[in-house]
Amino acid sequence: MRRQHIGWVAGAAAAVLVAAGAITYAVAEDGGSDTTTPTAESADAGFARDMAVHHQQAVEMSYIVRDRTKNEEVRRLAYDIAQTQANQRGMLLGWLDLWGLPKVSADPPMTWMGMGDMASGKDGALMPGMATNTELKKLGTLNGKQAEIFYLQLMTDHHKGGIHMAEGCVAKCTVGVEKRLAQGMVDAQQSEIELMAGMLKERGAQPRS
């Protein structure tokens, strides 16, 4: 049953990504109710920049754990997350290119949400839910069941932070196709959180928070 669930999550993600090319170009013509291109300070641009960074770490963590365990279920989940978030990251950065906007900002992360003071950036954790550099190094030293548990815990936290940010875009972004992608992230990552809770329970562990 769980294998079918993972397959469903991957299938749903693939269905979204099949239309990635069309979405990337359509977004240039979907600039919100006033059809104007988003500004560098807009929620649309802020979300694209911040979620691209957030996603990159998820990809990194997923590839780390694929080298630390032989468990097929965890490796499949990690691969699905890495592929989905790498593709979404490309879409987000592509939109910034289409809008002619910079991929970095002098403002703190999540400023577009009115939460620029939320993340201290301490030890590499630039936004809520992100793992610290120390945690990433620890993941790279674990093997087998220990690596699986720590990855599932880190990714659960990561998804929770990502969902919070995506919900912010759903509420604040003006580009329709970006809002829809953000809602898709909320739905898919919530499903994966539930899946990972079951995987942790099977390993005698639980989410950290």
Side-chain angles (χ1 to χ4, degrees):
M1 180 63 71
R2 178 158 293 115
R3 178 172 297 180
Q4 292 176 346
H5 188 113
I6 293 177
W8 179 87
V9 171
V16 171
L17 294 175
V18 163
I23 289 174
T24 300
Y25 290 105
V27 74
E29 300 176 357
D30 190 14
S33 59
D34 59 359
T35 68
T36 58
T37 300
T39 65
E41 294 76 28
S42 66
D44 303 271
F47 174 74
R49 286 191 301 262
D50 288 352
M51 190 58 84
V53 173
H54 209 268
H55 272 15
Q56 181 58 36
Q57 189 185 73
V59 173
E60 180 182 355
M61 288 195 294
S62 295
Y63 281 122
I64 290 174
V65 80
R66 274 175 61 86
D67 293 334
R68 311 305 299 182
T69 179
K70 295 181 180 179
N71 181 270
E72 181 181 350
E73 186 179 33
V74 173
R75 286 171 59 85
R76 187 185 303 111
L77 174 65
Y79 179 80
D80 289 345
I81 290 175
Q83 291 300 301
T84 298
Q85 298 211 11
N87 277 284
Q88 290 176 346
R89 182 175 184 272
M91 292 166 63
L92 295 166
L93 295 176
W95 291 345
L96 290 170
D97 279 338
L98 284 172
W99 297 330
L101 299 178
K103 297 181 178 67
V104 296
S105 172
D107 294 328
M110 302 179 72
T111 296
W112 60 276
M113 288 182 68
M115 300 174 63
D117 58 346
M118 276 290 292
S120 65
K122 183 178 180 182
D123 197 16
L126 301 177
M127 286 167 265
M130 290 186 70
T132 64
N133 292 332
T134 299
E135 288 171 333
L136 290 177
K137 290 178 182 177
K138 177 181 176 181
L139 180 62
T141 67
L142 301 176
N143 291 289
K145 182 178 176 180
Q146 287 186 322
E148 295 162 19
I149 289 173
F150 196 48
Y151 169 76
L152 293 169
Q153 290 173 330
L154 290 177
M155 192 57 72
T156 295
D157 291 346
H158 204 271
H159 273 12
K160 288 178 179 178
I163 287 172
H164 179 62
M165 196 187 309
E167 288 175 338
C169 179
V170 172
K172 295 177 178 290
C173 289
T174 61
V175 176
V177 70
E178 188 176 19
K179 290 167 71 79
R180 291 191 289 275
L181 177 67
Q183 184 61 56
M185 290 179 185
V186 172
D187 298 339
Q189 293 191 23
Q190 185 59 55
S191 178
E192 287 176 345
I193 285 175
E194 294 169 5
L195 174 64
M196 291 188 289
M199 293 170 74
L200 282 167
K201 185 175 181 180
E202 290 176 351
R203 292 161 174 78
Q206 58 186 3
R208 297 194 297 182
S209 59

